[in-house]
Amino acid sequence: MCVAGVALATRLEEKQEDSRMNEILVKKLLTPVTKLMVVKNPYVAAKVQPGQFVILRVREKGERIPLTVADYDREQDTITLVFQEVGLTTRLLGQMEAGDSILNVVGPLGVPAELPEKGTVLVAGGGVGVAPCLPKAKEMHTRGVKVISILGARSADLIILEDQMRACSDEVYITTDDGSRGFHGYVADQVRVLLEGGLKVDEVVAIGPMPAMRAVCDVTKPFGIKTWVSMNPIMVDGTGMCGACRVSVGGKTRFCCVDGPMFDGHEVDWQEAWRRANVYRDEEKIANDRCASCGGDR
Amino acid sequence: MPVKQRTAMPMQDPKERTHNFEQVAQGYTEEMALAEAARCLQCKNPACISGCPVAVDIPVFVKQVKEKDYQGAIDTIKATNNLPAVCGRVCPQETQCEVKCLLSRTGQPIAVGRLERFAADWEAENGAGKVERTSSSGRKVAVVGAGPAGLTCAGDLAKMGYDVTIYESLHAPGGVLIYGIPEFRLPKDVVRREVDYVRKLGANIETDVVVGRTITIDELFEDGYEAVFVGSGAGLPMFMHIPGENLNGVYSANEWLTRINLMKANRFPEFDTPVKHGTTVAVVGAGNVAMDAVRCALRLGAEKAMIVYRRSRAEMPARLEELENAEQEDVEFHLLTNPVRVLGNDKGWVTGLECIKMELGEPDKSGRRRPVPVPGSEHVLECDIVVMALGTTPNPILSTTTPGLNAHDWGGLLADETTGRTTKPGVWAGGDAVTGSATVILAMGAGKAAAKDIDEYLSGRRRDWSRPG
């Protein structure tokens, strides 16, 4: 395995001396609440497959959080992360600028998505969930799968990665909750309109906030269409050691970090997943307030 | 006649220590160490060495302590043990070297572990810190995991002149020593010191690398490594598969301890990772990990911390010392008690643990009497946190991404017991990745045995690869 002509292991051995490791090369505001960063990490860039994620840490006292890899460039040794500032760590990350380096990035983690080789796939992304849809849509498009994409957001200004998604989709539908652009309604409503209108798809990939994924699953279930979702539970190590990320799928406990993050959405226990995602809501508030008062001491 | 009683270890008062994460056992003073070392009989045919998985020359180092040659003592230990400050604190000496001590026939055995710790801590304070580094032969060996097995194997290989790189998946090296064992039993400064020693021996450590994902074992071979040792450690935590295990407030011991030890959640919000503290904490299991978990609960401020265990005190797998420490700290023991359901409120938070009383029946395969439920004895232990400390199954990432590396059905890698050779030529394994949950010192022993066999293999003395059953 070579990265830019140098054996991967040889480069790994020099990783700690590489001052540009995990350097943020590009930082872009996709919307007022969503940021994109292109990060240098030859090892993740060399190996990552659609569906996989990284765990990162932004400071010595920092927590470990998972972020799905939204794009990668094996030639340029980079991965692309897209995130919304929802918690302390994503806020701190959002304060970092091009030229800064992220303290730790480890990956790729999780099982690559099982993508079909042919047929038609409906890719439904809501909000920042469009980002993890991108590598899957790209890969399927390359394989010759017909990709129909739905990009949804609360309002027109929050639609992200439209050009990139258009480049790998055969058809694109835009939905907004407030009707400011495209279809007026939720992503799941657009899915329902398409399916009830007779659209034939072999699979659905739905990624977004948990209620949105669940809603899409509710729509596709009566049609009997396999629907993949990408779960994003709380993780600590992210490598199959702590068990924080357990998700009930088909009545069985699965570990999102080593069995996921993609699961059959019709089998997921959504109520439990939602409850577990909010375990630390009180602590998140404490951390966020503290961060706001000290201006995020990195 | 030697003194029958061993020199007592100074301990932090139980009432105070449950409010802090400082070390409980505070270590021998010089006077104490000299008094204890003087008890050693200096047997002509010492039995203690054979009880040590890494074969420390115990009588020699004890004699050196007695003669106040502390540098000599630590050098003797380090000739075979790369992590003496760790072993002196967490080894179950009572079932290994000390159980073989002749003194135990008439009194208490010599306190080998306490003397080992004394020598190691003496060096940290007074030693020159100079390490003889063997010049590298340029032959490359990769070690997967910077825990006790990997650090031992890498240290030994570096001493033999191999060019060793350890790949660690977490952001800090140490494995279970850093994420699992709490500060009050093993300070993380001690772990960092031991890791630094292995580095000084010549081993390179790369963190944030998940072998199997970031790079595969086959790619390591393609890139010039001639041997790989897998010490990837504990994997997925085991659960009981009872209703309510995914309620909010149910932790695996791995998660509970990782949040506290590695991520310092006990110091949230100074550190960013939180953990729920709980007023009443129930820990299911009775091994060393369970004792660590329940004692952490007290230190996080729980008013009541309980051990729930389906067998009796005699069958508990924890070290006696840890069990006694927990008892002194007023941990409540619910023995012959087995959880059947975790109870929760309408918001999904834990409110209690429904249990059934057990009685001991006929011995099972492990030789321990099998606990059987007593009909009609169901009862509820009220609690707001449940920690499952039931052991782990080895991490599946390597066995599923490495063709030819076979595992048992339960996940443990197949490896020869004496050499650590796996089903894949050029790959050795040891520690929890092979045995499932075991001890630090057994993992170190496996790392050591593998290092020796890797040398035999690479030097051509034992090149044929016989596969383990």
Side-chain angles (χ1 to χ4, degrees):
Chain A
M1 184 79 212
C2 289
V3 186
V6 183
L8 185 57
T10 311
R11 296 188 58 168
L12 278 176
E13 287 162 18
E14 290 157 5
K15 190 160 78 75
Q16 61 195 352
E17 274 98 53
D18 187 346
S19 61
R20 298 199 66 192
M21 178 57 59
N22 302 334
E23 184 181 325
I24 299 164
L25 302 180
V26 177
K27 177 184 176 182
K28 260 194 247 173
L29 253 67
L30 296 184
T31 78
V33 294
T34 319
K35 287 172 182 162
L36 174 149
M37 285 179 177
V38 177
V39 177
K40 182 171 178 279
N41 187 308
Y43 319 106
V44 180
K47 293 314 231 7
V48 65
Q49 299 289 332
Q52 291 187 298
F53 63 93
V54 293
I55 289 266
L56 60 82
R57 215 164 64 108
V58 295
R59 57 176 177 181
E60 273 307 330
K61 293 180 178 179
E63 60 185 339
R64 295 169 65 95
I65 63 156
L67 280 182
T68 308
V69 176
D71 204 355
Y72 44 88
D73 187 326
R74 304 211 202 279
E75 265 73 57
Q76 298 296 314
D77 291 344
T78 61
I79 56 172
T80 301
L81 304 174
V82 175
F83 60 94
Q84 215 170 326
E85 295 183 18
V86 286
L88 174 65
T89 303
T90 43
R91 278 177 66 175
L92 293 172
L93 183 62
Q95 289 169 11
M96 297 178 79
E97 300 297 339
D100 293 343
S101 289
I102 302 171
L103 183 60
N104 301 99
V105 177
V106 59
L109 298 166
V111 182
E114 282 175 47
L115 300 172
E117 299 289 339
K118 54 182 170 43
T120 304
V121 174
L122 180 60
V123 178
V128 73
V130 172
C133 287
L134 178 61
K136 300 176 186 79
K138 259 182 149 174
E139 176 63 27
M140 288 190 287
H141 183 73
T142 308
R143 291 179 185 185
V145 174
K146 184 176 180 190
V147 176
I148 301 172
S149 296
I150 304 174
L151 314 184
R154 285 203 309 278
S155 57
D157 58 329
L158 300 179
I159 297 284
I160 61 166
L161 301 173
E162 183 179 340
D163 294 345
Q164 291 89 330
M165 285 298 287
R166 282 194 187 278
C168 57
S169 304
D170 295 88
E171 293 169 34
V172 173
Y173 296 85
I174 305 286
T175 74
T176 52
D177 300 358
D178 65 359
S180 52
R181 197 184 149 199
F183 177 85
H184 186 175
Y186 296 123
V187 168
D189 300 326
Q190 175 72 78
V191 174
R192 185 193 310 277
V193 167
L194 290 173
L195 294 182
E196 284 177 352
L199 177 71
K200 293 280 174 258
V201 298
D202 299 293
E203 284 180 23
V204 173
V205 174
I207 309 179
M210 225 187 284
M213 291 195 286
R214 183 182 188 171
V216 171
C217 290
D218 287 344
V219 169
T220 57
K221 197 162 187 186
F223 291 90
I225 304 168
K226 178 91 169 181
T227 303
W228 294 99
V229 296
S230 183
M231 300 305 284
N232 185 22
I234 294 170
M235 292 187 183
V236 186
D237 69 294
T239 64
M241 191 267 282
C242 84
C245 64
R246 49 199 199 275
V247 179
S248 290
V249 182
K252 286 206 180 89
T253 294
R254 308 293 303 275
F255 297 96
C256 191
C257 71
V258 288
D259 298 329
M262 303 293 287
F263 291 107
D264 179 345
H266 295 144
E267 299 285 332
V268 169
D269 181 339
W270 292 101
Q271 199 187 341
E272 178 189 287
W274 179 249
R275 177 164 57 63
R276 290 181 60 80
N278 288 296
V279 166
Y280 294 104
R281 202 151 46 171
D282 295 346
E283 288 80 1
E284 278 163 21
K285 193 176 173 326
I286 293 169
N288 266 324
D289 291 351
R290 195 170 180 271
C291 174
S293 66
C294 71
D297 102 79
R298 226 169 51 221
Chain B
M1 274 297 285
V3 185
K4 283 192 179 173
Q5 297 292 314
R6 55 168 59 181
T7 310
M9 171 65 93
M11 306 279 275
Q12 221 197 126
D13 183 81
K15 293 253 173 329
E16 273 171 33
R17 74 191 190 214
T18 49
H19 300 291
N20 66 56
F21 276 82
E22 304 296 313
Q23 279 191 100
V24 168
Q26 295 177 318
Y28 275 170
T29 60
E30 186 174 8
E31 291 69 34
M32 291 171 184
L34 290 171
E36 184 60 21
R39 295 175 65 232
C40 179
L41 297 175
Q42 292 292 315
C43 305
K44 281 219 173 60
N45 296 305
C48 49
I49 302 175
S50 67
C52 176
V54 297
V56 167
D57 195 339
I58 296 165
V60 167
F61 103 75
V62 173
K63 185 159 179 276
Q64 287 165 318
V65 171
K66 188 181 157 187
E67 291 165 354
K68 298 193 183 182
D69 176 11
Y70 305 129
Q71 187 63 55
I74 191 63
D75 290 345
T76 300
I77 298 169
K78 281 188 167 174
T80 60
N81 183 345
N82 297 328
L83 314 171
V86 169
C87 289
R89 285 171 171 83
V90 304
C91 261
Q93 289 97 5
E94 65 274 16
T95 60
Q96 295 179 156
C97 50
E98 292 177 4
V99 74
K100 309 233 172 185
C101 178
L102 219 54
L103 285 174
S104 56
R105 296 193 189 165
T106 53
Q108 289 183 316
I110 183 117
V112 178
R114 296 171 183 182
L115 290 173
E116 180 181 33
R117 170 176 167 179
F118 172 79
D121 290 358
W122 178 91
E123 192 195 33
E125 277 191 27
N126 308 292
K130 265 176 65 185
V131 178
E132 290 282 327
R133 192 164 167 164
T134 315
S135 60
S136 171
S137 63
R139 301 188 73 176
K140 289 166 63 170
V141 181
V143 169
V144 182
L151 289 169
T152 302
C153 187
D156 279 12
L157 288 166
K159 284 178 184 170
M160 295 176 207
Y162 291 98
D163 183 356
V164 189
T165 296
I166 308 179
Y167 293 106
E168 166 58 44
S169 64
L170 291 175
H171 57 263
V176 72
L177 308 174
I178 207 97
Y179 75 74
I181 303 177
E183 188 80 17
F184 57 81
R185 210 148 71 78
L186 180 64
K188 301 310 144 213
D189 284 345
V190 172
V191 178
R192 279 187 279 273
R193 212 160 68 209
E194 305 275 69
V195 169
D196 280 345
Y197 171 67
V198 173
R199 279 205 181 99
K200 280 183 194 159
L201 287 172
N204 173 37
I205 303 178
E206 292 292 345
T207 53
D208 294 332
V209 178
V210 181
V211 175
R213 292 259 181 256
T214 314
I215 188 165
T216 64
I217 287 182
D218 285 334
E219 286 165 348
L220 288 170
F221 285 123
E222 284 168 29
D223 289 353
Y225 285 92
E226 296 183 64
V228 177
F229 173 76
V230 177
S232 51
L236 297 169
M238 295 206 258
F239 286 89
M240 296 187 75
H241 306 294
I242 57 175
E245 268 186 314
N246 290 344
L247 285 167
N248 292 359
V250 181
Y251 287 89
S252 75
N254 269 4
E255 181 187 354
W256 178 253
L257 292 171
T258 300
R259 283 180 181 273
I260 297 166
N261 299 322
L262 177 70
M263 308 308 295
K264 306 277 179 242
N266 53 306
R267 289 162 69 183
F268 175 87
E270 181 198 346
F271 284 73
D272 297 341
T273 303
V275 68
K276 290 288 172 187
H277 288 210
T279 311
T280 307
V281 178
V283 175
V284 182
N288 289 321
V289 171
M291 298 304 145
D292 285 345
V294 80
R295 295 172 70 199
C296 279
L298 288 172
R299 285 159 175 78
L300 289 178
E303 288 166 19
K304 185 155 91 175
M306 305 180 276
I307 286 282
V308 180
Y309 181 49
R310 64 198 182 116
R311 302 181 198 248
S312 71
R313 191 177 189 276
E315 287 86 18
M316 285 194 184
R319 281 181 74 189
L320 186 62
E321 185 182 320
E322 301 313 326
L323 173 55
E324 286 172 354
N325 279 332
E327 286 172 340
Q328 284 169 12
E329 292 172 12
D330 291 332
V331 167
E332 217 176 88
F333 285 82
H334 293 263
L335 306 181
L336 291 166
T337 303
N338 201 29
V340 291
R341 188 153 62 113
V342 187
L343 304 171
N345 61 20
D346 56 355
K347 296 218 168 69
W349 286 88
V350 171
T351 57
L353 193 59
E354 186 180 319
C355 299
I356 189 162
K357 291 299 284 183
M358 309 292 276
E359 57 190 8
L360 294 179
E362 296 299 308
D364 64 11
K365 271 188 289 184
S366 73
R368 299 183 298 181
R369 291 175 65 194
R370 183 196 301 274
V372 289
V374 178
S377 66
E378 289 85 352
H379 59 288
V380 173
L381 297 174
E382 281 182 22
C383 58
D384 48 7
I385 297 282
V386 172
V387 180
M388 294 293 181
L390 305 162
T392 61
T393 55
N395 194 304
I397 290 178
L398 273 171
S399 52
T400 54
T401 58
T402 311
L405 186 66
N406 298 345
H408 295 277
D409 291 341
W410 54 271
L413 294 176
L414 277 161
D416 184 86
E417 269 183 39
T418 49
T419 61
R421 292 187 177 198
T422 66
T423 52
K424 187 178 177 72
V427 181
W428 285 254
D432 282 7
V434 171
T435 58
S437 310
T439 60
V440 167
I441 187 67
L442 285 175
M444 290 175 59
K448 190 164 201 69
K452 182 168 172 280
D453 194 60
I454 289 170
D455 183 46
E456 305 245 308
Y457 175 80
L458 292 184
S459 63
R461 290 195 295 276
R462 208 177 146 244
R463 196 74 197 179
D464 63 305
W465 193 269
S466 46
R467 287 167 172 239

